[in-house]
Amino acid sequence: MPTLRECGGNGLHLERVVDEYCLSNEISADYAYQLRYAVSRFGRFLGRPGLVSDLEPAVVNRWLVSEQDTREIGDRSRRNIRTSIITIAKYAGGGVGPENVRRVTVPSKAPRAWSVAQFRDVAAAANELPGVLKNGVARSAYFATILWFCYETGLRRRDAWSFSVHLLDDEHRAAVTQHKTGRVHVIEVTPETHEDLTAISKRLRSLGNKRYGRPLAWPHSSTSTFYYWMARVREIAGVDPDVVGRSLQHVRRTGATAVECGEAGTAWQYLGHAGGPRLSWASYIDPTKAKRSRMPPVKRHHGLGRTNNCRKK
């Protein structure tokens, strides 16, 4: 089959190529956004909309060098836009590929998670939230329930928001198809969380809400409102009140770390991953909690306080 370039598509805008790619392939909205974001940043570097003819190794490499120098986006984002532009080039029939495009190195960072005690404090603080959500559910009931639900199941925010309480059986278990991966994942909740989900569902039904089967669906149009109240919960609890990015993803890491501490080598199953524990350790498990530290044999008789040798003479 002839490529876009072979069909005389050198002057075709890359935005159009992405549109055609999305029409030809069944991809998620998140992945489509990543492709468009990469094209947008590439065009920003060029100073004009990118064309298929711009997909040359030298041009793409200069762009990636520029992204590294400006530091406007993080290392992971730079790696993602590299992968996206290679995907677009392959579809368009360009000469850009992983073999001739500079690699983006992402330094490893140890995941961080709350202790179980810290999570309990956060979940308890949710009960102190005032007011009601747009759908008539008490804000305290909603946030306490979604925190415990995500901690117990390890589900991502989007899967939690779309979860149907009717999927739970008599043993409080359910098979869920994960939005991100498309894989089936079996979850389990405590009887208390099942009861809370059912209570919210009944409240929604009594108000005539047709979405009563999805009690954790966020009723507001803006996700920023959700994150505002998550930050408020942490502030009340006194747990990472000034740290950005401590939301349901952090709860997922906390649950994974707790599972790994309880039974080594099982967190990847809790997370719904495939292929073993490698990704779990790279992105979710806090090694300071799940690994035992080592130090050489040592016997100290006193510290600096007793010898006073930290003072200048």
Side-chain angles (χ1 to χ4, degrees):
M1 180 177 178
T3 64
L4 289 174
R5 179 166 292 195
E6 290 169 345
C7 292
N10 274 339
L12 197 63
H13 283 201
L14 293 180
E15 290 92 340
R16 172 75 180 280
V17 176
V18 173
D19 290 341
E20 293 191 15
Y21 181 88
C22 294
L23 285 172
S24 303
N25 298 273
E26 187 171 343
I27 61 175
S28 67
D30 291 339
Y31 186 44
Y33 171 80
Q34 288 180 23
L35 296 175
R36 291 192 170 93
Y37 179 68
V39 167
S40 173
R41 292 205 67 87
F42 188 49
R44 183 176 175 180
F45 164 75
L46 295 171
R48 56 171 173 76
L51 306 175
V52 171
S53 58
D54 294 317
L55 295 177
E56 298 293 341
V59 179
V60 172
N61 284 333
R62 285 199 298 271
W63 167 52
L64 293 175
V65 169
S66 175
E67 292 287 6
Q68 182 182 22
D69 291 342
T70 59
R71 307 300 297 177
E72 291 181 355
I73 58 177
D75 296 328
R76 289 184 183 274
S77 293
R78 287 194 300 114
R79 183 173 64 184
N80 289 341
I81 61 175
R82 174 190 182 270
T83 301
S84 295
I85 211 71
I86 289 174
T87 299
I88 296 166
K90 181 180 179 181
Y91 180 74
V96 169
E99 70 282 352
N100 55 27
V101 173
R102 59 185 276 130
R103 295 182 60 185
V104 174
T105 301
V106 180
S108 298
K109 292 183 180 180
R112 289 290 176 261
W114 290 323
S115 66
V116 175
Q118 286 176 312
F119 169 76
R120 287 184 176 277
D121 288 343
V122 171
N127 291 309
E128 300 181 33
L129 291 178
V132 297
L133 299 178
K134 186 178 180 179
N135 59 5
V137 174
R139 185 173 285 114
S140 57
Y142 175 86
F143 278 94
T145 303
I146 197 170
L147 280 165
W148 278 110
F149 177 80
C150 289
Y151 176 75
E152 293 168 10
T153 65
L155 289 181
R156 299 175 180 86
R157 186 201 68 189
R158 186 161 185 168
D159 292 329
W161 283 4
S162 63
F163 179 74
S164 173
V165 68
H166 303 307
L167 292 175
L168 290 168
D169 61 19
D170 293 339
E171 296 181 346
H172 320 295
R173 302 172 79 235
V176 179
T177 300
Q178 300 173 94
H179 174 80
K180 182 176 181 179
T181 65
R183 288 191 291 268
V184 174
H185 178 42
V186 177
I187 63 165
E188 182 177 352
V189 299
T190 59
E192 293 80 6
T193 296
H194 193 171
E195 181 179 341
D196 292 342
L197 289 168
T198 302
I200 294 176
S201 179
K202 288 181 178 179
R203 169 63 176 165
L204 291 171
R205 188 173 188 177
S206 71
L207 295 172
N209 192 317
K210 295 181 179 179
R211 302 176 69 189
Y212 67 89
R214 303 180 188 279
L216 298 179
W218 183 240
H220 298 269
S221 58
S222 172
T223 57
S224 62
T225 309
F226 177 85
Y227 290 118
Y228 167 80
W229 286 108
M230 281 294 300
R232 183 74 184 100
V233 168
R234 291 187 285 106
E235 184 180 349
I236 294 172
V239 177
D240 292 339
D242 301 318
V243 180
V244 178
R246 295 289 192 264
S247 189
L248 295 186
Q249 181 76 342
H250 203 70
V251 173
R252 183 167 151 89
R253 293 191 190 101
T254 300
T257 301
V259 168
E260 190 69 18
C261 288
E263 186 176 354
T266 60
W268 66 278
Q269 297 170 314
Y270 160 84
L271 293 165
H273 290 165
R278 182 176 179 181
L279 178 59
S280 304
W281 277 103
S283 302
Y284 291 95
I285 301 170
D286 188 334
T288 64
K289 297 177 176 64
K291 282 186 176 181
R292 182 178 177 182
S293 58
R294 305 291 183 185
M295 68 179 297
V298 61
K299 184 182 239 184
R300 294 192 67 186
H301 299 289
H302 50 70
L304 295 177
R306 291 185 59 182
T307 61
N308 213 24
N309 62 3
C310 61
R311 297 181 182 177
K312 291 183 178 180
K313 295 183 179 179

